[in-house]
Amino acid sequence: MPKKQLETAAAPQPDFEAAMAELENLVQRMESGELTLEASLKEFERGVQLTRLCQEALNAAEQRVKLLAADGQERDFPPQEEA
């Protein structure tokens, strides 16, 4: 098994909400300007991983919504009225 697959298998993937929270914290740390270059690169790599994970979750949710649509036709949701 390649090294990348071993790392993925060992660490469970966070759910969407946990990934977003981690991503927000990561951005705050990077924006602080207190990280070294190496630490910034590691944080950036993790940010890319989290972004991909979130995008995959959103794509999967979109597919589920399409499947659950009554007539199976893709359409935009109506805009929500502000409260």
Side-chain angles (χ1 to χ4, degrees):
M1 184 180 290
K3 184 178 178 183
K4 185 80 170 173
Q5 288 179 347
L6 284 175
E7 290 172 5
T8 303
Q13 295 294 326
D15 63 14
F16 179 81
E17 289 78 12
M20 284 298 296
E22 185 180 344
L23 191 55
E24 289 172 6
N25 289 331
L26 185 147
V27 169
Q28 288 176 353
R29 288 192 305 272
M30 290 183 71
E31 287 180 342
S32 74
E34 297 177 7
L35 297 175
T36 64
L37 177 60
E38 187 62 31
S40 294
L41 287 172
K42 285 185 179 187
E43 295 285 52
F44 181 78
E45 285 179 25
R46 180 63 178 157
V48 169
Q49 291 172 343
L50 291 168
T51 301
R52 288 181 181 155
L53 186 123
C54 289
Q55 188 61 52
E56 289 171 6
L58 290 172
N59 288 341
E62 181 181 12
Q63 289 302 312
R64 289 180 63 195
V65 168
K66 286 178 183 179
L67 288 174
L68 294 172
D71 59 4
Q73 298 297 313
E74 181 178 346
R75 68 174 80 83
D76 292 330
F77 290 106
Q80 293 182 349
E81 294 182 25
E82 293 183 27

